[in-house]
Amino acid sequence: MNKFWERLLTIDRRAIFVVIFLALSVPIFLQIGLPIPVTREVQILYDALEDLPRGAKILVSCDYDPGSEPELQPMAEAAFKYFVANDLRFIIIGLWPQGPIQGNRAIEDINESDDELIVENGDTLYFGADLVVVGEDTARYGIDFINLGFQVGQELVIQRMGTSFEATFPSDRRFGRPQKEFPIMEGIYRLADFDFVLNLSAGYPGTVEWVQFAVDRFHVPVGAGNTAVQAPLAYPYLDTGQLTGILGGMKGGAEFERLVGHRARATMSMTSQTMAHIFVMLFIVVGNIAFFVTRGKSERRDLRK
Amino acid sequence: MSSEFGVWLAAFFTIGIASFLYKDNPLYKFCESVFVGISAGYWAVALFWENLIAKMFDSLGISYFFGLWPEKGALQDIFSGVWNWNLLHILAGILGIMMLLRLFPKIGWIARWPLSVIVGSTAGLWMITYFQSNFLSQLQKTVVPLFDIGRINELSEIGAAMSEQGRAIPFDAYFAAYLGNLILIFGTLTGLVYFYFSKEHKGVFGKTAKVGIYFLMITFGASFGYTVMSRMSLLIGRLYFLFSTWLGFVN
């Protein structure tokens, strides 16, 4: 019996990789849906968005790069879809250089129109960039949403937005035109003029900095979508009320997708995620049993020596 | 199967990096080197255009002077008799040049000056911020009654309404209301005792510290669980890319 456990402890690590690969891959092909209960922290964020009046302005800070796309991109897509469907205006910025590019990709992906472009009053408008169609709703660049791009300076960017938003983000990303030319920017002079901030963050600068500067200094409500690695760092800010909800990793994204009625990538991935977790837990339990069963034997062997 | 060159390239690098799981190999080394090189290059270009050009040359009006930017800057404003705070960017530029002087050993000591400015200003900025956000706010929310009376009352009202509909409040809601605050206070105190090193961890004090260790271990366990979830999510993302975007097996 002991030999079995000893052999388990010396198993080739590549065998474990194969098991994890299968645990993740097979559910992708089977496409089995699992029930996704909504946790309190996700519900708080959703409720905060629900409470916003039509036409409210939301600052979306995409502080991540393609490396965190599987976790944060589904959140961005679900959020943008919700904003368009509920007539909420959103302004995309990024404290990470690739963040606003990810924001643009999310807009492109949620667009449901099959047309490529339309010509309106002599202007060519591209779907997925200038116009976004979600169900029966349409959002237009510069009026309903805008991308102001990346700004270098980490947390100091947030600090500067607190006093002058225009000085921090003088022009838009798509056309390079002064931001004041766009109707969506009307009435936005500083950070406190926003009704809500949604921060999608994969590290530094990210949620911690948004809490410390935007929430505690300028008293703007901030909700966060985090990678799972970063989520434990953000949780202490939830109970204190400094954060208005957290979407923690892919699971948080799946819950949010459920609430906004946009069951997409995060929801689809939850079966793979669950299978992998079951196997990881199994490996931990079996590994510990094997360790404790064989430890006695090796200790006796050491004593004999 | 995708016909886009970019998708094939991404698939090649994904498989190349994943090949390390089998063993270290030249393909992995190649992919890793390309990734590191591109990342460094991307950051250099991004910081050059977003920081040096935008914050220094554009805001001061140097780009305008050479006809490379349509808007006037601080220098043009000053010569027109209008004060522009962006003129202070000259100071930042001088500090930046001083920082680069560490490349020359004989005058490298000059780099300590801008370093001092960075250390001083960062310390000043973070001291207040951390004190407010991570100390005062957290401390304030730790001083709570032993039982969450408000939440218990709220649950009893919700529970009465729900039982009429034949539903019940989940057990964890009651657990959090009755024991949540107690665990919070107990965990905080025992955790603090563990980090008190001026007294030897013996007797009751030692046992309390040991309970503190258990609380810390639960925290680390939760953090590890989240890390596992995060890494699995990234792997799922890559698998979806391979099976869906590249090979087209899954919609």
Side-chain angles (χ1 to χ4, degrees), chain A residues 13-14 17 20-21 24-25 28-29 31 67 70-71 97-98 101 150-152 155-156 209 212-213 216-217 228-229 232 235-237 239-240 242 248 250-251 268-269 272-273 276-277 280, chain B residues 20-23 42-43 46-47 50-51 55 71 86 125-126 128-130 132-134 137-138 141 222-224 226-237 239-240 243 249-251:
Chain A
R13 65 193 170 94
R14 283 170 287 202
F17 297 155
I20 292 293
F21 173 77
L24 293 172
S25 308
I28 290 176
F29 289 96
Q31 305 257 318
E71 291 186 275
Q98 298 99 328
I101 303 170
F150 158 72
Q151 192 57 262
V152 72
E155 61 273 15
L156 295 178
E209 286 70 35
Q212 291 172 338
F213 288 88
D216 290 337
R217 283 202 183 179
V229 170
Y235 266 93
Y237 298 122
D239 284 335
T240 56
Q242 288 164 290
M250 196 175 256
K251 170 76 165 58
M268 280 157 61
S269 305
S272 296
Q273 185 86 257
H277 284 197
V280 169
Chain B
F20 183 75
L21 293 174
Y22 180 68
K23 66 175 184 180
Y42 187 93
W43 271 104
L47 290 177
E50 303 286 349
N51 210 353
K55 296 264 189 292
E71 286 172 34
N86 284 347
L125 183 73
W126 283 115
I128 302 162
T129 310
Y130 266 96
Q132 168 65 37
S133 304
N134 290 25
S137 298
Q138 298 297 324
K141 288 291 171 179
S223 195
F224 172 72
Y226 266 108
T227 306
V228 170
M229 183 161 97
S230 195
R231 301 301 174 233
M232 291 300 165
S233 303
L234 300 186
L235 195 52
I236 292 168
L239 290 174
Y240 260 107
F243 294 142
F249 290 161
V250 188
N251 286 323

Side-chain angles (χ1 to χ4, degrees), chain A residues 203-263:
Chain A
Y204 171 81
T207 301
V208 173
E209 286 70 35
W210 276 100
V211 168
Q212 291 172 338
F213 288 88
V215 177
D216 290 337
R217 283 202 183 179
F218 303 112
H219 312 292
V220 186
V222 174
N226 289 145
T227 53
V229 170
Q230 209 202 355
L233 298 175
Y235 266 93
Y237 298 122
L238 183 74
D239 284 335
T240 56
Q242 288 164 290
L243 262 185
T244 314
I246 298 176
L247 312 178
M250 196 175 256
K251 170 76 165 58
E255 291 173 32
F256 190 60
E257 280 183 356
R258 185 190 156 184
L259 285 172
V260 303
H262 167 70
R263 295 169 85 88

Side-chain angles (χ1 to χ4, degrees), chain B residues 27-192:
Chain B
L27 177 65
Y28 169 75
K29 288 262 189 247
F30 170 75
C31 295
E32 188 191 34
S33 305
V34 169
F35 175 72
V36 171
I38 288 178
S39 296
Y42 187 93
W43 271 104
V45 171
L47 290 177
F48 176 79
W49 287 105
E50 303 286 349
N51 210 353
L52 196 65
I53 296 295
K55 296 264 189 292
M56 191 76 193
F57 291 93
D58 291 352
S59 68
L60 282 178
I62 298 169
S63 308
Y64 176 81
F65 181 75
F66 288 106
L68 300 169
W69 184 246
E71 286 172 34
K72 290 179 181 176
L75 290 173
Q76 283 81 25
D77 285 348
I78 293 298
F79 286 119
S80 314
V82 182
W83 173 251
N84 188 329
W85 282 102
N86 284 347
L87 199 68
L88 292 177
H89 289 194
I90 291 176
L91 202 65
I94 292 167
L95 288 171
I97 292 165
M98 284 165 79
M99 186 73 111
L100 288 174
L101 292 180
R102 68 188 307 175
L103 296 170
F104 307 98
K106 278 188 180 173
I107 48 170
W109 57 270
I110 295 175
R112 287 180 198 162
W113 286 63
L115 214 57
S116 313
V117 173
I118 292 171
V119 171
S121 53
T122 310
L125 183 73
W126 283 115
M127 191 173 67
I128 302 162
T129 310
Y130 266 96
F131 189 72
Q132 168 65 37
S133 304
N134 290 25
F135 182 71
L136 278 184
S137 298
Q138 298 297 324
L139 191 68
Q140 201 177 9
K141 288 291 171 179
T142 314
V143 184
V144 288
L146 288 175
F147 301 102
D148 194 346
I149 307 295
R151 181 71 180 143
I152 291 167
N153 291 337
E154 196 184 340
L155 280 176
S156 65
E157 281 173 27
I158 298 170
M162 281 175 78
S163 63
E164 282 176 19
Q165 299 165 1
R167 294 187 298 147
I169 293 173
F171 171 75
D172 60 343
Y174 282 111
F175 184 84
Y178 280 98
L179 288 173
N181 285 0
L182 208 60
I183 292 171
L184 177 79
I185 294 163
F186 192 59
T188 308
L189 290 177
T190 53
L192 283 171

Side-chain angles (χ1 to χ4, degrees), chain A residues 12 17 23 30 72 79-80 93 125 131 137 143 185-186 206 249 251 255 272-274 281-283 296 303:
Chain A
D12 191 338
F17 297 155
L30 297 178
L72 299 175
F80 292 168
I93 60 159
L125 303 174
L131 289 169
D137 302 291
I143 298 170
M185 299 312 298
E186 202 176 299
K251 170 76 165 58
E255 291 173 32
S272 296
Q273 185 86 257
T274 309
M281 284 190 286
L282 208 66
F283 288 147
L303 278 174

